[in-house]
Amino acid sequence: MEQKHQRNVVVVSTGGTIASRWQGTGYAAEAPGEEVLSAAPVPDGVTVRVVDLFTVNSPRLTTAHQLAVVHAVREVLTDPAVDGVVVTHGTDTLEETAFLLDLYHRDPRPVVLTGAQRPLDDPDGDAPGNLYDALLTASLAHGAGVLVVFDGLVHAARGTVKTHTLAADAFADPSGAPLGKVGFGTVTPLPRAPRREGLRLPDADAATPRVDMVMHHCDADPLLFDAAVAAGARGVVLVATGAGNATPEFTEAVARAVRAGVLVAVTTRVPAGPVTPIYTNGGAVDLAAAGAVLTGTLRAGQARIAVVAALLSADGPEERTALLRGIVETPAAVRPGPDVG
């Protein structure tokens, strides 16, 4: 597709498999952003600048790292000459950083996250193709918000999770469809849900809250849930069964936590479908009545990010609960995709 003018894209490099090399016993992130970028062709009409933020494997990321990404993207977008941003990221926690960025993003210029399933020095690796597609998307998809581009597909940040440990097509929204495809020098978008207003961004040096996740299973009791609260968790995500169901004992633990000012969210270990208040006797009906927020189609990692954002961006238990409810609501309306080209 013919470019109308030179497009400027900034790559924020954070490490991950896309920056990894063999260390003798396994792979680890070590390559700087310029070296990662050199592995991929740059789309015609696109000029790229690299910001090396940090170089770590994504399982080691902290909330502080993720907030640093949010602030770095915000800083990059203070330059009106920038048309879009690409964040190269490890795949293990890419879905969490993408959703955090999405919650705070207010700019019409796109932010695209990508990575690789195979390391940088793999001659048959997927890094060059994914990076090229991400650069192209960031240069064209004005108004698209925060996206995940992987294996030729464009996904919305919200709801997109890693669905395979090793396959090249590692990302999808189990409850929805991709936004579009990348190919032949263009990006073809699909309809997508309207975006929320960006949240108030906390200070770069803001203290990050402890938010834990606890999974329900057969024979589970609230021991670990209570332990998280006792350890100082300001938020807890209960990964329930089915449509968001646990036991009466968990309901009592949730009620105790909420009374103590802890923000509680309920998601499910089921891959697709919404958390829905159907059952009582410890089910989602009772958990919601006890003060927990049901997280719709957000799965564990993104539900935790929603809790973190609510704790960082609102003051007081009632305000944080209200903000979390607003974050997890899925807009019903669908609008056309962003301008491309």
Side-chain angles (χ1 to χ4, degrees), residues 238-250:
L238 174 60
V239 185
T241 57
N245 306 309
T247 66
E249 290 76 17
F250 269 101

Side-chain angles (χ1 to χ4, degrees), residues 34-332:
E34 288 285 359
E35 197 165 336
V36 173
L37 180 64
S38 69
V42 175
D44 291 341
V46 175
T47 299
V48 181
R49 176 169 66 88
V50 175
V51 173
D52 272 304
L53 191 59
F54 45 75
T55 306
V56 298
N57 289 24
S58 66
R60 296 178 55 202
L61 288 189
T62 64
T63 302
H65 281 116
Q66 292 171 318
L67 286 171
V69 176
V70 176
H71 280 278
V73 169
R74 183 70 65 88
E75 176 63 25
V76 164
L77 291 174
T78 61
D79 182 354
V82 172
D83 293 294
V85 181
V86 170
V87 178
T88 56
H89 199 288
T91 60
D92 284 1
T93 55
L94 184 150
E95 66 202 56
E96 298 172 38
T97 303
F99 188 49
L100 188 68
L101 278 163
D102 187 62
L103 291 175
Y104 289 103
H105 189 54
R106 298 177 175 177
D107 198 288
R109 290 168 290 179
V111 178
V112 179
L113 286 89
T114 196
Q117 288 284 77
R118 302 175 77 171
L120 183 64
D121 54 8
D122 189 324
D124 298 317
D126 54 340
N130 286 343
L131 188 51
Y132 177 92
D133 289 350
L135 291 169
L136 185 66
T137 303
S139 72
L140 294 177
H142 188 83
V146 181
L147 306 169
V148 175
V149 171
F150 222 89
D151 197 42
L153 294 176
V154 182
H155 306 277
R158 182 190 182 101
T160 295
V161 297
K162 189 172 184 180
T163 58
H164 198 285
T165 58
L166 300 177
D169 57 340
F171 286 89
D173 179 351
S175 300
L179 294 182
K181 298 180 180 180
V182 186
F184 302 103
T186 191
V187 182
T188 305
L190 300 176
R192 66 184 186 87
R195 292 178 46 75
R196 289 178 46 83
E197 180 71 19
L199 301 181
R200 173 174 58 86
L201 184 62
D203 294 336
D205 58 354
T208 57
R210 177 173 184 141
V211 178
D212 290 318
M213 295 191 291
V214 177
M215 179 177 285
H216 178 52
H217 54 83
C218 293
D219 294 332
D221 61 32
L223 174 67
L224 297 178
F225 187 100
D226 291 336
V229 174
R234 293 173 58 198
V236 180
V237 177
L238 174 60
V239 185
T241 57
N245 306 309
T247 66
E249 290 76 17
F250 269 101
T251 301
E252 294 169 4
V254 167
R256 289 194 300 271
V258 170
R259 286 195 297 269
V262 177
L263 190 56
V264 179
V266 177
T267 183
T268 174
R269 67 188 201 186
V270 180
V275 175
T276 307
I278 301 172
Y279 299 103
T280 184
N281 197 29
V285 170
D286 295 344
L287 293 170
V293 176
L294 309 183
T295 61
T297 57
L298 294 181
R299 290 312 183 254
Q302 292 194 342
R304 181 185 172 277
I305 288 296
V307 173
V308 168
L311 289 167
L312 286 169
S313 300
D315 300 314
E318 292 183 2
E319 292 81 2
R320 289 166 179 159
T321 299
L323 180 56
L324 179 58
R325 292 187 195 281
I327 289 172
V328 303
E329 286 176 357
T330 302

